Amino acid sequence: MKIGCPKEIKPQEFRVGLTPQAAREAVAHGHTVIVEAGAGSGAGFPDADYEAAGARIAATAEEVFAEAELIVKVKEPQAVERARLREGQVLFTYLHLAPDPDQTHDLLASGATCIAYETVTDAGGGLPLLAPMSEVAGKLAPQVGAWALQKANGGRGVLLGGVPGVRPARVAVIGGGVVGTHAARVAAGMGAEVTVLDRSLPRLRYLDDVFGRAFQTRYASAAATAELVEASDLVVGAVLIPGAAAPKLVSRAQLSAMKPGAVLVDVAIDQGGCFETSRATTHEDPIYEVDGIVHYCVANMPGAVARTSTQALGNATMPFLLALADKGWRQACADDPHLLNGLNVHAGKLTYAAVGMALGIDVLSPRLALKA
Ligand SMILES: NC(=O)c1ccc[n+]([C@@H]2O[C@H](COP(=O)([O-])OP(=O)(O)OC[C@H]3O[C@@H](n4cnc5c(N)ncnc54)[C@H](O)[C@@H]3O)[C@@H](O)[C@H]2O)c1
């Protein structure tokens, strides 16, 4: 199979869909790998690394799209990329079609087969191609929170870990899923006093069993959440209700009860945010202040560490990519129902029910698409 990896063209996207490591594995499986010149440079992978892995460097994206049977990317294809897709070609990337009718219509019109990272599942009910980015964002949250707590950034001037004789910062993490667990681990590792709030008792039991005394757990009643938000120097918002906007768990009125200069890091901002006063920010201008409380609400936190994020995403996508290349998409999806869950578009038909519901488009069952 000819696998193609173009350079990402969405603004501020420095990740790349294929690492040199994944390129090497694909070549070892007998596939041809074509990478656009400079595709990996934002993530610190020069063309020479791909060439050493056995890939060929193409001068332009047009060349990659024209030659490849399977295109691997990170972000949803932009309009100019969608125009290059063709019938029979397979696209493997993040798509997020439900809020994006323009992209959906273009992908349907292309005739291509499009498999979305974000809807591929695993045996535990998780989303294995979303989890790595949650792990990255979770581990970043205390790091950016510690920075925002510095006086020059508007924060309280509190050091997360304290020093001998001085109490460490108090950190509340609301939501103990993938983001929350990684945030709590890092904050605790930096020496902060950490409490994780969640509404799932099985999740709280798991955290207690695995992490013991590293951090505390509390059931996320409104009263417990308010009490901890008021007492904390740093609050990390990490809740998710799948398929829904994030619930607003801290109101504007509550800000005045918080410590002046405390910091809110709203990781759930990509789902609308879980603090009433959150609005999405960018890496160029990540923080703002409301009623004396510093807010950090960057919607694509993993972009700050493009190299780590690319490697983490590459590790997670590689087995699926190799299955698609080795067997062809039909057999790979027939053999693996979790990969089949990633099928969103095939030959002009939408194949993912939730997207069809959101956009009012008829859906072909993915099982039938396998035979189409
Ligand atoms: N900003 C970014 O760059 C970025 C990057 C990755 C993920 N995210 C977002 O972070 C959020 C969390 O993702 P995740 O992978 O950890 O999800 P997850 O499903 O693993 O965890 C979410 C947790 O929230 C808990 N929860 C739900 N409602 C709650 C409530 N009212 N109070 C307390 N806990 C509640 C759930 O029980 C679950 O344990 C999502 O919105 C995700 O899209 C953002």
Side-chain angles (χ1 to χ4, degrees):
M1 173 106 42
K2 287 184 182 166
I3 303 172
C5 177
K7 187 174 171 68
E8 293 297 317
I9 57 172
K10 193 165 179 178
Q12 298 304 316
E13 181 54 66
F14 299 106
R15 290 173 292 174
V16 59
L18 194 74
T19 59
Q21 200 187 355
R24 186 179 296 277
E25 298 249 356
V27 170
H29 280 234
H31 304 296
T32 300
V33 177
I34 309 152
V35 178
E36 184 182 347
S41 60
F45 297 120
D47 291 349
D49 288 8
Y50 290 97
E51 286 176 314
R56 183 157 64 73
I57 302 298
T60 63
E62 283 92 332
E63 231 177 287
V64 174
F65 278 87
E67 278 198 52
E69 298 156 275
L70 168 59
I71 299 279
V72 58
K73 274 177 51 61
V74 179
K75 279 297 193 190
E76 71 280 3
Q78 306 300 290
V80 58
E81 296 176 309
R82 290 174 337 232
R84 295 184 183 129
L85 290 168
R86 61 172 184 277
E87 202 175 330
Q89 203 166 34
V90 178
L91 173 68
F92 190 41
T93 192
Y94 287 119
L95 291 176
H96 296 289
L97 292 180
D100 195 345
D102 289 350
Q103 188 200 169
T104 305
H105 287 119
D106 286 355
L107 293 183
L108 289 170
S110 75
T113 298
C114 306
I115 301 172
Y117 291 165
E118 71 274 8
T119 64
V120 173
T121 51
D122 66 20
L127 301 169
L129 303 187
L130 270 188
M133 294 305 101
S134 287
E135 290 164 358
V136 170
K139 285 200 157 173
L140 265 176
Q143 194 171 310
V144 298
W147 172 80
L149 273 169
Q150 292 173 25
K151 205 68 194 158
N153 300 317
R156 264 170 74 66
V158 168
L159 182 63
L160 222 50
V163 289
V166 179
R167 187 174 189 161
R170 292 189 191 181
V171 176
V173 178
I174 313 177
V178 181
V179 168
T181 304
H182 284 77
R185 279 181 65 184
V186 168
M190 289 166 93
E193 283 180 28
V194 183
T195 305
V196 178
L197 295 127
D198 203 296
R199 292 220 153 186
S200 159
L201 283 177
R203 189 67 194 172
L204 291 177
R205 279 193 196 104
Y206 165 85
L207 293 173
D208 190 66
D209 281 349
V210 173
F211 297 100
R213 301 172 74 102
F215 48 80
Q216 302 195 4
T217 56
R218 289 281 295 275
Y219 183 76
S221 64
T225 306
E227 178 196 319
L228 278 156
V229 164
E230 286 170 25
S232 292
D233 302 287
L234 168 62
V235 180
V236 176
V239 299
L240 177 66
I241 298 174
K248 302 289 179 223
L249 302 175
V250 177
S251 68
R252 177 158 193 171
Q254 280 175 283
L255 299 189
S256 56
M258 291 179 70
K259 298 177 184 174
V263 172
L264 298 175
V265 174
D266 199 344
V267 186
I269 189 67
D270 61 339
Q271 299 291 329
C274 59
F275 310 130
E276 188 187 351
T277 42
S278 293
R279 59 171 168 79
T281 58
T282 62
H283 290 294
E284 288 66 50
D285 194 9
I287 53 174
Y288 62 94
E289 198 186 304
V290 179
D291 298 344
I293 303 301
V294 183
H295 292 55
Y296 175 102
C297 306
V298 173
N300 66 333
M301 291 174 69
V305 287
R307 187 174 171 87
T308 301
S309 299
T310 292
Q311 289 169 315
L313 183 61
N315 291 342
T317 56
M318 186 151 68
F320 296 106
L321 180 73
L322 290 176
L324 288 168
D326 290 349
K327 304 177 181 181
W329 77 270
R330 245 179 246 281
Q331 193 58 48
C333 288
D335 289 352
D336 182 355
H338 296 298
L339 182 57
L340 183 61
N341 284 336
L343 188 67
N344 277 230
V345 171
H346 171 60
K349 295 273 187 265
L350 200 62
T351 54
Y352 197 77
V355 176
M357 290 252 288
L359 298 178
I361 301 175
D362 287 345
V363 168
L364 174 71
S365 124
R367 289 259 157 228
L368 288 178
L370 286 179
K371 298 184 188 118

